[in-house]
Amino acid sequence: MVPEVVILRLPLYVRALAQLLVAGHEVVSSHSLGNHLQITPAQIRKDLSYFGKFGKQGRGYNIRFLLKELRGILGLEREWRACLVGMGRLGRAIINYPGFAPQGFEIVAAFDDDPRKVGRVVGGIAVQAMSEIEGTVEAKKVDIAIVAVPAQHVQSVIEDVVASGVLGILNYAPVVPKVPRGTVMRNIDPVLSLQSMTFYLQQMKNI
Amino acid sequence: MVPEVVILRLPLYVRALAQLLVAGHEVVSSHSLGNHLQITPAQIRKDLSYFGKFGKQGRGYNIRFLLKELRGILGLEREWRACLVGMGRLGRAIINYPGFAPQGFEIVAAFDDDPRKVGRVVGGIAVQAMSEIEGTVEAKKVDIAIVAVPAQHVQSVIEDVVASGVLGILNYAPVVPKVPRGTVMRNIDPVLSLQSMTFYLQQMKNI
DNA sequence: TAATGTGAAAACCTTCACAGCT
DNA sequence: AGCTGTGAAGGTTTTCACATTA
């Protein structure tokens, strides 16, 4: 069984390897990859060792090969289909964000419960009523829901999302929703990041 | 010395306590707080024990009191001043995002290197040239920089930001910039979150 | 009775250090 | 010489379990 922390680091490796390839490199050592990512070489080697032997002693890792292997391990060699739930300010920013599609995450449907928003086309996608989520998730083979609704609605929205058969949730609301085990959730909240940062900033000021 | 993982959880406690207060509660036990956050009661008690004794045996924690204490520990009982660097699509979404100000993070300046953007007013803030960052950070007492520039510019932008005297950086670009020790950085990248999620989704599909 | 605060134990994760390959 | 892959050591974090207090 691979520790979850390791899984969380693999995407960093994928990203760095892709950047090294663009920069014209073909081979990389755990030392220089670690230098890019501020991670120790031993940790990188150990992480990779959970999945196999990808390097050559004395040489390092072939970047193309390792990248492809890691992408396969993470399931990135296929397209993933996402729906967006909540078409407020944040939802609209997400649907127009050009960073998901090139990484293989395509937003194929959008939902909102406000009747004034239903039927509008945002970012090329027609907004549907929440009641349609179950049918659409099945018809469009949606794998992931990106949830951007106000905090007070999240729990009930997530219950609908889970009932529709979606197994992965990217939650932008500032709460920790309850999900059944078997559902994979990730939370994005920049405020939490700032609030742990200020602990350290405060210490530095008070010296 | 308090472990960093503990510091990362304190904002979750602050958020949950504030929500409990709004919901009309005055007291909470580690058990019920843990239930809200999907964290074990023992972990909550241990985390809090690094900073003092905040509860009453047999009763639990007074929410108002614990909230105030934790906010003080994290440095949230003051306003923090941030600047935004990079006024592209993402930067504009961030400056218009209404979630920072109510939490005490005020965006007081904005920078971009594109001469066509300099001088424009976005979200009530006049965009300045990057060359002005040093003076503005000092004049406006900026504590934190929120960086939303394209990946290839991040490293040099961050060097300017650090040179200007900013100690905290919230980085939205998909790279791990190098910062001197003493600088506190947090990274936001929803793609990384999705890419670790798919590892588990893939496993579930393949059964 | 109900719940905290905390040493000690257990689990987990990172780093070391080196055999072995190129 | 240079670098991987990996057991073992070391360090950190979580959980246990219980004395203690309201």
Side-chain angles (χ1 to χ4, degrees):
Chain A
M1 232 302 188
V2 183
E4 164 143 45
V5 271
V6 173
I7 302 303
L8 293 175
R9 278 191 296 265
L10 296 187
L12 287 170
Y13 301 160
V14 165
R15 196 172 74 178
L17 291 168
Q19 286 163 2
L20 286 168
L21 208 52
V22 168
H25 299 261
E26 287 290 337
V27 181
V28 71
S29 65
S30 61
H31 182 88
S32 77
L33 183 57
N35 191 46
H36 271 261
L37 289 168
Q38 312 286 81
I39 291 179
T40 64
Q43 178 147 87
I44 291 173
R45 295 201 303 274
K46 186 59 130 182
D47 284 355
L48 298 179
S49 77
Y50 285 101
F51 303 97
K53 302 183 181 194
F54 305 105
K56 291 234 191 308
Q57 284 151 322
R59 295 201 137 283
Y61 301 90
N62 177 296
I63 296 178
R64 271 176 223 282
F65 172 70
L66 180 55
L67 181 53
K68 183 121 190 178
E69 290 288 313
L70 291 180
R71 289 181 53 86
I73 290 163
L74 286 171
L76 303 177
E77 294 287 304
R78 51 158 286 199
E79 282 266 318
W80 290 92
R81 298 161 72 80
C83 68
L84 184 51
V85 184
M87 293 303 294
R89 199 196 290 265
L90 181 56
R92 292 195 301 274
I94 292 168
I95 211 165
N96 288 308
Y97 173 62
F100 288 123
Q103 300 298 326
F105 296 94
E106 202 190 348
I107 298 178
V108 298
F111 302 94
D112 199 296
D113 238 355
D114 181 344
R116 290 167 301 180
K117 284 177 188 146
V118 174
R120 286 202 197 166
V121 177
V122 184
I125 290 163
V127 179
Q128 297 175 268
M130 271 306 284
S131 57
E132 299 184 57
I133 191 169
E134 189 156 355
T136 302
V137 162
E138 193 172 355
K140 295 200 171 168
K141 297 199 174 118
V142 170
D143 310 291
I144 295 167
I146 303 175
V147 176
V149 303
Q152 69 269 27
H153 298 138
V154 179
Q155 188 58 49
S156 93
V157 160
I158 289 215
E159 280 158 24
D160 293 349
V161 163
V162 169
S164 79
V166 165
L167 295 174
I169 296 172
L170 186 66
N171 172 46
Y172 279 83
V175 287
V176 181
K178 291 201 174 67
V179 292
R181 26 181 275 95
T183 305
V184 187
M185 190 165 56
R186 295 288 182 267
N187 296 286
I188 306 276
D189 186 347
V191 169
L192 292 184
S193 299
L194 288 174
Q195 287 179 333
S196 67
M197 178 191 289
T198 53
F199 175 80
Y200 297 103
L201 295 182
Q202 183 188 219
Q203 313 236 304
M204 288 148 69
K205 303 237 158 185
N206 290 345
I207 288 168
Chain B
M1 232 300 190
V2 183
E4 164 142 46
V5 271
V6 173
I7 302 303
L8 293 174
R9 278 192 295 265
L10 295 188
L12 286 170
Y13 301 160
V14 165
R15 197 173 73 177
L17 291 168
Q19 285 163 3
L20 286 168
L21 207 52
V22 168
H25 298 261
E26 288 289 337
V27 181
V28 72
S29 66
S30 61
H31 182 89
S32 78
L33 184 58
N35 191 45
H36 271 260
L37 289 169
Q38 312 286 81
I39 290 178
T40 64
Q43 178 149 86
I44 292 173
R45 295 200 303 276
K46 187 59 129 183
D47 284 355
L48 298 180
S49 76
Y50 285 101
F51 302 97
K53 303 183 181 193
F54 305 105
K56 291 236 191 308
Q57 283 150 321
R59 295 201 137 283
Y61 302 91
N62 177 297
I63 296 179
R64 271 176 224 281
F65 172 71
L66 180 56
L67 182 53
K68 184 122 190 177
E69 290 288 313
L70 290 180
R71 289 181 53 87
I73 290 163
L74 285 170
L76 304 177
E77 293 286 305
R78 51 158 285 200
E79 281 267 318
W80 291 91
R81 299 160 72 80
C83 68
L84 184 51
V85 184
M87 293 303 292
R89 199 197 289 266
L90 181 56
R92 292 195 301 273
I94 293 168
I95 212 165
N96 288 310
Y97 173 61
F100 289 123
Q103 300 299 327
F105 296 95
E106 202 190 347
I107 299 178
V108 298
F111 302 94
D112 199 296
D113 238 356
D114 181 345
R116 289 167 301 179
K117 285 177 187 146
V118 174
R120 287 202 197 164
V121 177
V122 183
I125 290 165
V127 179
Q128 298 175 267
M130 272 306 285
S131 57
E132 300 185 56
I133 192 170
E134 188 156 356
T136 303
V137 161
E138 192 174 355
K140 295 199 170 168
K141 299 201 174 118
V142 171
D143 310 292
I144 294 167
I146 302 174
V147 176
V149 302
Q152 68 269 27
H153 298 138
V154 179
Q155 188 58 49
S156 94
V157 160
I158 289 216
E159 280 159 24
D160 293 350
V161 163
V162 169
S164 79
V166 165
L167 295 174
I169 296 172
L170 186 66
N171 172 46
Y172 278 82
V175 287
V176 180
K178 291 201 174 66
V179 292
R181 23 180 278 98
T183 305
V184 187
M185 189 165 59
R186 295 288 183 267
N187 296 287
I188 306 277
D189 186 347
V191 169
L192 293 184
S193 299
L194 288 174
Q195 289 180 331
S196 67
M197 179 191 289
T198 54
F199 174 79
Y200 296 103
L201 296 182
Q202 183 188 218
Q203 313 237 306
M204 287 148 67
K205 302 237 160 188
N206 290 344
I207 287 170

